Structures are given as C-alpha cells and as structure tokens.
Amino acid sequence: VQLVESGGGLVQTGGSLRLSCTVSGSFFELNDISWYRQVSGKQRELVASFSSKGRILYSDSVKGRFTISRDRDEKTVYLLMNSLIPEDTGVYYCNTFLRLDEDSIRWHEYWGQGTQVTVSS
C-alpha cells in the first residue's frame, strides 16, 4: 500500500493550489484520511480530516480557505487551498489508517511522501 501525493508548488499570496492523495494497493477498509503539514523545525500539524463516517474537520488556521474532498471510491482525497498565505508554507502529508484484510482487526497507519507548498509574499 502506498499513499501518493501531488499538486504542491510555488504560489503567490492569495493564490490557490489543489493537492491530491491516492491510496494505491490492496486493502479491506479505510478509516480516517487526513492532510497534515510540517514547517521546518516544528511538529507536524493536522490541517484537514475526513472521518470514516464522513465527518470533516479543519484546523482553525485554514477554516474557510481550505476544502477537503474525495472521490466516490474514497481512494483519492483532495485538498483545495484558496487564499494562500506565507504561513501555509510547508510540506503537506497525507495520512490514513487501513485494515488490510477482513480477518484482521489491526489498523495500519500510512503516510505519503509529502509535497512541498511554498507561498511567497
């Protein structure tokens, strides 16, 4: 199983980017799927999350500017980022928990490789 992210880049303040994350490989069940970001020297922070029950959460810093969505097959999740500001700069990671087969109750955590977002002032 792999999480493959794309869509990062360099954008000016006020601009937009859309990140995507695709879960590839075989699994039985997918739980929450989330976007995190990390600024150099700081802890990774949760940006937006899609729960297995369809509940959506956003961090206060991105509420109203970012939108998380996913495809019908729930294997691809997107993060549309509008009104970007320099404080949004960082490496964005996709995260999820998967149950690999029907007979296992264990959840496995997976992270994507990260995609760099840079917002210039």
Side-chain angles (χ1 to χ4, degrees):
V1 175
Q2 279 188 312
L3 273 58
V4 180
E5 301 144 348
S6 62
L10 172 64
V11 65
Q12 289 186 331
T13 295
S16 299
L17 284 173
R18 190 176 82 152
L19 307 182
S20 66
C21 169
T22 298
V23 183
S24 65
S26 178
F27 60 91
F28 176 71
E29 186 178 2
L30 183 149
N31 205 323
D32 298 5
I33 187 163
S34 308
W35 285 99
Y36 285 76
R37 69 183 175 199
Q38 188 166 25
V39 177
S40 179
K42 294 188 177 181
Q43 277 193 326
R44 206 169 284 189
E45 63 168 344
L46 178 66
V47 174
S49 180
F50 228 125
S51 78
S52 59
K53 297 181 181 180
R55 186 181 177 196
I56 296 175
L57 295 174
Y58 296 101
S59 70
D60 288 342
S61 62
V62 307
K63 213 172 282 185
R65 300 187 298 120
F66 290 12
T67 303
I68 189 171
S69 62
R70 62 187 176 188
D71 282 352
R72 280 192 174 184
D73 65 5
E74 299 184 354
K75 291 185 177 181
T76 299
V77 65
Y78 304 96
L79 185 67
L80 176 61
M81 306 184 293
N82 293 323
S83 303
L84 284 162
I85 58 178
E87 289 75 15
D88 295 320
T89 295
V91 180
Y92 284 70
Y93 296 92
C94 184
N95 169 271
T96 193
F97 290 84
L98 303 174
R99 197 153 65 99
L100 298 183
D101 59 74
E102 186 175 4
D103 297 327
S104 173
I105 62 171
R106 183 182 170 191
W107 293 93
H108 299 260
E109 184 177 21
Y110 291 89
W111 290 91
Q113 81 283 2
T115 184
Q116 176 71 43
V117 171
T118 304
V119 184
S120 63
S121 56

